[in-house]
RNA sequence: UGGGGAGUCGCCAAGUGGUAAGGCAACGGGUUUUGGUCCCGUCACUGCGAAGGUUCGAAUCCUUCCUCCCCAGCCA
């Protein structure tokens, strides 16, 4: 979809081998490569909003399916009614669609399989491979042993099959209080892999489920539900993150006991980004404690936050494909994300002129009542975007940053006695400065050269800088929100003793500018529209923006050579 | 110190026994009516976590060691 060249990574390698029938058992090799299809799935839990880390998984799973001519399901892993909500289901679907992926009619839920799972559990009990355990959660933990010491067997481990069948049935019927009993797999309490020490399959939980409502009072655990759900759906490649690597033996065990379709699980390293956190638990905390305005706050690494911030879905897809897939833990530099965003927006965003911090400039020799329409290019990277007219008059605004009374050597914008170009307009020369009692610059007086209309001098003289501007009387007001990193440090998890990741929140992550002035062509912008404000950055019209009150969010700045020079001086 | 993973440039990441891709960042230069874009150049000079070994030849194979991540939820 986005990349021309064929991608290659260890997962695609495995899939190509699978499709070529390499390393396969005899009976499978009968199936021709032509009829062999892959089937993946994206399995979110609806307990929060999707973030850029999920985008990596979505791009991988849906991308693999489309590259290799297979299918990808959307399956909600909704096995824990205490945390899951319909709101999250809705947001997840919206975000995946917005990212540009389609699950057709294959929208599934682990809860669709509650009956099947119950039947599967019965099979295990009948095989003597699962039992009802009356130990409390504390006792279970105690009996589990530690990383170094083996666990001990539960005193309920050797109940008869009939008793287990009866008890499990009664659990389902609601005869026992929450937490009083669980169904456990009977595997090996001395396994060095803690996941194999008789893991819990069902717990009693009287909580209404967002889909099955009050039908069940026992719910399967993720470990019990996940692998079987993949199997039921005929998933060929179950792609998940690294932390599930040592759950794989358990999933294999369940599948083998049940003698059902066996998907191949492949684990990859989850995405980390500098200057942010990527855990739904922590993001939820930021939302609930109002450190941000919501899940879609433009500072959030959520898909909805990035959408509101102005990151195009195509750019996010490119990002996900360019960071690659591997098994080594990694933290991608936020600057790389910004590079991808700029790369995309530079090609696509229309240009406009906007003044964030207005400084009044009066052109003394320009006629009082005259105004001219000057021609401006909409996108120098795309001729088809055409041109527009921008009004010019005697009083204009320029950026405060673009004028210095006593400029250092490397500053080559406007200064007393100096001539610069106003983009698409004229050369102007600074003649004087008007200040208040405190020395604040109120206005700058200039003269213009009528010969330089459009921006070129007939005598061939050059200027070192071109400034953007808006005509005072034609300009329209706007609010502009400047966003910076949510966290002040690259790794927010690193805190002082007893500290909290929130201690690292960046106090300057949002700066609201209320007195900005825009060129009049921006009067009818709609939420979601994206522009490059020339010489400043890319800005996206906020969802809360109206014609009466226009609000722009800064998506990302332009690269700024001058900022670097300034810093180094 | 049990088990499972991982270590290639500041950050991602190719490489799968034949002599270290690429991108980002950084730095230098050119073009430019955006100090943007674009273009050019520099950036792992026996070095691929370390030390040994096998080999004509090793980032790739073997041995030992070191470092980092994950696992003791009735979360996912």
């Amino acid at each position: 979809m986005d990349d021309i060249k064929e991608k290659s990574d260890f997962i695609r390698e495995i899939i190509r081998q699978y499709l070529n029938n390499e390393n396969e058992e005899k009976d499978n090799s009968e199936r021709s490569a032509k009829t062999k299809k892959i089937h993946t799935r994206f399995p979110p839990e609806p307990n929060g909003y999707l973030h850029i880390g999920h985008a990596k998984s979505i791009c991988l799973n849906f991308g693999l399916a489309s590259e290799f001519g297979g299918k990808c399901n959307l399956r909600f892993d909704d096995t824990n009614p205490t945390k899951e909500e319909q709101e999250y289901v809705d947001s997840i679907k919206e975000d995946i669609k917005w990212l540009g992926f389609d699950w057709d009619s294959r929208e599934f839920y682990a809860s669709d399989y509650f009956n099947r799972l119950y039947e599967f559990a019965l099979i295990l009990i009948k095989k003597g491979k699962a039992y009802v355990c009356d130990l409390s959660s504390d006792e279970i933990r105690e009996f589990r042993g530690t990383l170094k010491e083996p666990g001990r067997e539960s005193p309920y481990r050797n109940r008869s099959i009939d008793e287990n069948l009866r008890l499990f049935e009664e659990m389902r019927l609601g005869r026992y209080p929450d937490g009083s009993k669980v169904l456990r797999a009977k595997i090996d309490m001395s396994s060095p892999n803690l996941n194999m020490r008789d893991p819990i399959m069902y717990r009693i939980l009287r909580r209404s489920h967002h889909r099955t409502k009050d039908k069940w009072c026992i719910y399967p655990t993720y470990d019990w539900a996940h692998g079987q759900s993949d199997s039921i759906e005929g998933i060929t490649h179950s792609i998940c993150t690294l932390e599930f690597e040592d759950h794989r033996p358990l999933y294999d065990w369940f599948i083998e006991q049940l003698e059902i379709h066996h998907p191949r699980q492949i684990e990859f390293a989850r995405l980390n980004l500098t200057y942010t956190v990527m855990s739904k638990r922590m993001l939820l905390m930021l939302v609930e404690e109002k450190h941000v305005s919501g899940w879609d706050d433009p500072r959030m690494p959520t898909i909805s936050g990035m959408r509101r911030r102005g990151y195009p879905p195509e750019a996010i897809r490119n990002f996900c494909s360019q960071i690659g897939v591997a098994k080594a833990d990694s933290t991608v530099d936020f600057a790389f994300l910004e590079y991808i965003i700029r790369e995309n927006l530079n090609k696509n965003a229309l240009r406009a002129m906007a003044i964030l911090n207005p400084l009044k400039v009066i052109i003394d020799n320009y006629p009082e009542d005259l105004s001219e329409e000057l021609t401006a290019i909409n996108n120098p990277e795309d001729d088809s975007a055409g041109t527009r007219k921008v009004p010019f008059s005697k009083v204009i605004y320029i950026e405060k940053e673009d004028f210095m009374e006593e400029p250092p050597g490397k500053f080559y914008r406007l200064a007393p006695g100096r001539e610069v170009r106003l983009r698409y307009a004229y050369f102007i020369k600074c003649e004087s400065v008007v200040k208040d009692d405190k020395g604040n610059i109120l206005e700058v007086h200039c003269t213009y050269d009528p010969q330089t209309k459009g921006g070129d001098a007939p005598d061939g003289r050059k200027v070192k800088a071109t400034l953007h501007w808006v005509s005072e009387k034609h300009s329209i007001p706007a609010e502009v929100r400047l966003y910076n990193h949510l966290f002040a440090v690259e790794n927010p998890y690193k805190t002082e003793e007893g500290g909290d990741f929130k201690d690292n929140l960046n106090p300057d992550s949002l700066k609201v500018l209320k007195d900005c002035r825009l060129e009049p062509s921006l009067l009818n912008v709609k939420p979601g529209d994206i522009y490059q404000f020339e010489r400043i950055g890319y800005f996206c019209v906020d969802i809360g923006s109206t014609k009466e009150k226009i609000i722009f969010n800064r998506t990302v700045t332009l690269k700024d050579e001058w900022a670097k020079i300034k810093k180094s001086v």
Side-chain angles (χ1 to χ4, degrees):
Chain A
M1 190 186 309
D2 302 295
D3 250 12
I4 315 102
K5 58 175 184 282
E6 190 170 89
K7 290 176 208 142
S8 180
D9 52 61
F10 80 102
I11 294 179
R12 276 167 249 254
E13 193 82 8
I14 289 170
I15 289 176
R16 285 190 193 105
Q17 283 175 10
Y18 168 82
L19 260 13
N20 291 329
N21 288 314
E22 290 171 29
N23 309 326
E24 292 278 317
E25 311 245 326
K26 279 256 163 57
D27 23 315
N28 279 346
S29 61
E30 296 300 321
R31 297 170 62 183
S32 104
K34 287 186 198 68
T35 61
K36 232 169 165 183
K37 290 274 189 264
I38 62 158
H39 206 325
T40 57
R41 101 270 95 132
F42 173 61
E45 184 193 12
N47 68 339
Y49 281 59
L50 260 25
H51 54 60
I52 184 78
H54 293 110
K56 177 179 178 180
S57 175
I58 292 167
C59 290
L60 224 200
N61 280 297
F62 282 93
L64 251 18
S66 81
E67 278 169 57
F68 293 100
K71 289 184 167 77
C72 178
N73 297 354
L74 168 60
R75 184 182 69 246
F76 291 93
D77 269 338
D78 53 352
T79 54
N80 183 0
T82 65
K83 293 185 177 172
E84 295 147 8
E85 292 172 26
Q86 187 60 39
E87 177 198 347
Y88 297 132
V89 171
D90 297 338
S91 74
I92 288 169
K93 286 161 66 176
E94 183 189 356
D95 288 348
I96 298 172
K97 276 189 235 162
W98 177 78
L99 267 180
F101 296 102
D102 187 4
W103 56 90
D104 296 315
S105 56
R106 297 181 310 283
E107 175 179 331
F108 303 128
Y109 294 79
S111 53
D112 293 340
Y113 313 134
F114 281 178
N115 280 334
R116 296 282 297 278
L117 257 9
Y118 185 82
E119 299 295 326
F120 282 151
L122 257 19
I123 292 173
L124 287 198
I125 293 174
K126 287 176 187 157
K127 288 182 79 171
K129 300 291 186 180
Y131 63 98
V132 173
C133 181
D134 297 6
L135 253 26
S136 70
S137 59
D138 284 345
E139 289 167 327
I140 287 180
R141 181 169 53 247
E142 201 183 312
F143 275 68
R144 186 156 32 222
T146 67
L147 295 179
K148 292 162 65 174
E149 296 150 24
R152 282 140 53 214
E153 297 188 348
S154 161
Y156 305 99
R157 197 174 200 257
N158 295 311
R159 291 218 249 228
S160 72
I161 289 175
D162 285 343
E163 188 181 10
N164 282 320
L165 249 16
R166 193 194 90 235
L167 258 18
F168 185 49
E169 165 80 358
E170 290 175 352
M171 277 170 64
R172 198 198 96 222
L173 261 19
R175 302 267 172 85
Y176 306 107
D178 287 10
S180 61
K181 282 180 169 43
V182 292
L183 182 72
R184 292 228 251 170
K186 191 171 178 177
I187 310 181
D188 178 6
M189 288 309 288
S190 65
S191 171
N193 181 346
L194 305 233
N195 295 120
M196 302 299 269
R197 321 242 262 228
D198 291 10
I200 289 163
M201 296 164 61
Y202 276 94
R203 69 277 216 191
I204 304 173
L205 211 55
R206 260 161 269 254
R207 200 63 70 90
S208 185
H209 184 278
H210 69 107
R211 300 191 84 234
T212 62
K213 306 301 175 196
D214 298 312
K215 178 176 179 195
W216 298 87
C217 67
I218 57 171
Y219 289 96
T221 57
Y222 173 87
D223 274 347
W224 167 241
H226 189 79
Q228 279 62 258
S229 299
D230 280 349
S231 179
I232 288 167
E233 293 179 16
I235 299 305
T236 57
H237 300 270
S238 301
I239 295 164
C240 63
T241 43
L242 256 25
E243 67 270 29
F244 293 107
E245 207 146 16
D246 49 16
H247 291 235
R248 196 172 60 214
L250 173 59
Y251 303 161
D252 289 345
W253 188 89
F254 283 141
I255 294 282
E256 278 156 25
Q257 294 299 325
L258 262 12
E259 299 179 72
I260 54 177
H261 166 68
H262 195 157
R264 167 148 185 197
Q265 175 169 306
I266 305 170
E267 307 85 5
F268 72 97
R270 58 165 5 118
L271 169 66
N272 292 292
L273 258 188
T274 55
Y275 298 104
T276 192
V277 294
M278 211 75 87
S279 123
K280 278 196 268 185
R281 205 191 100 247
M282 290 179 180
L283 294 175
L284 210 211
M285 218 181 286
L286 295 177
V287 171
E288 287 182 334
E289 294 174 16
K290 310 266 195 238
H291 292 104
V292 293
S293 64
W295 286 99
D296 69 342
D297 187 297
R299 291 167 292 184
M300 292 281 271
T302 51
I303 308 287
S304 52
M306 291 181 168
R307 173 167 61 234
R308 188 169 177 185
R309 177 88 172 245
Y311 290 9
E314 182 189 30
I316 295 178
R317 275 185 256 127
N318 281 150
F319 173 73
C320 291
S321 96
Q322 290 191 45
I323 52 176
V325 189
K327 294 196 69 160
D329 293 316
S330 65
T331 302
V332 175
D333 197 335
F334 199 88
F336 184 63
L337 211 208
E338 296 195 315
Y339 159 80
I340 297 287
I341 301 302
R342 289 190 188 105
E343 180 191 46
N344 181 284
L345 262 16
N346 176 53
K347 274 189 315 216
N348 304 316
L350 298 179
R351 318 282 129 127
M353 293 198 284
I355 302 298
L356 268 32
N357 296 294
L359 172 61
K360 187 180 282 189
V361 171
I362 297 161
I363 301 162
D364 294 327
N365 61 338
Y366 193 87
E368 195 75 42
D369 301 319
L370 183 62
S371 68
E372 296 176 87
E373 296 271 291
L374 302 166
T375 302
I377 294 165
N378 285 331
N379 184 352
E381 307 293 321
D382 177 10
D383 290 340
S384 71
T387 61
R388 68 185 185 286
K389 295 293 185 187
V390 186
F392 183 80
S393 63
K394 185 182 180 75
V395 181
I396 62 169
Y397 289 118
I398 64 167
E399 214 64 66
K400 273 191 179 131
E401 266 218 321
D402 286 338
F403 176 81
M404 278 188 106
E405 214 177 356
E406 288 166 29
K410 292 278 178 50
F411 182 91
Y412 48 81
R413 275 109 100 143
L414 195 62
R418 192 181 293 175
E419 189 173 53
V420 298
R421 170 169 41 231
L422 292 177
R423 181 141 230 227
Y424 302 124
Y426 295 97
F427 283 12
I428 56 169
K429 187 176 177 186
C430 174
E431 305 292 352
S432 63
V433 177
V434 176
K435 296 195 240 184
D436 64 14
D437 324 329
K438 292 181 195 130
N440 299 313
I441 298 171
L442 262 22
E443 54 190 46
V444 174
H445 285 257
C446 296
T447 52
Y448 83 118
D449 176 355
Q451 298 295 306
T452 58
K453 182 170 181 176
D456 279 309
D459 63 6
R461 74 182 190 277
K462 302 286 184 207
V463 288
K464 294 202 76 169
T466 299
L467 309 187
H468 59 101
W469 52 274
V470 296
S471 161
E472 179 191 45
K473 66 181 173 196
H474 302 278
S475 68
I476 54 178
E479 175 175 313
V480 174
R481 299 172 181 169
L482 269 22
Y483 296 100
N484 285 309
H485 294 140
L486 222 202
F487 289 88
V489 295
E490 277 198 25
N491 179 6
Y493 302 107
K494 209 161 93 188
T495 55
E496 313 222 331
E497 266 302 303
D500 181 0
F501 77 102
K502 285 171 282 180
D503 299 341
N504 288 320
L505 247 7
N506 178 7
D508 302 314
S509 60
L510 169 61
K511 189 172 178 188
V512 180
L513 302 177
K514 293 185 178 289
D515 302 306
C516 309
R517 309 294 305 186
L518 313 177
E519 65 167 73
S521 72
L522 260 18
L523 184 63
N524 294 311
V525 293
K526 291 182 299 297
D529 289 352
I530 299 178
Y531 289 86
Q532 182 197 103
F533 289 168
E534 293 210 40
R535 301 209 308 131
I536 307 176
Y538 296 95
F539 294 80
C540 177
V541 180
D542 188 68
I543 45 175
S545 181
T546 61
K547 193 164 180 179
E548 289 65 42
K549 187 184 179 189
I550 297 174
I551 302 169
F552 272 94
N553 295 319
R554 183 170 70 194
T555 307
V556 62
T557 62
L558 248 30
K559 269 173 65 180
D560 190 349
E561 199 64 29
W562 167 238
K564 263 194 236 172
I565 296 167
K566 234 179 359 183
K567 216 182 280 177
S568 68
V569 172

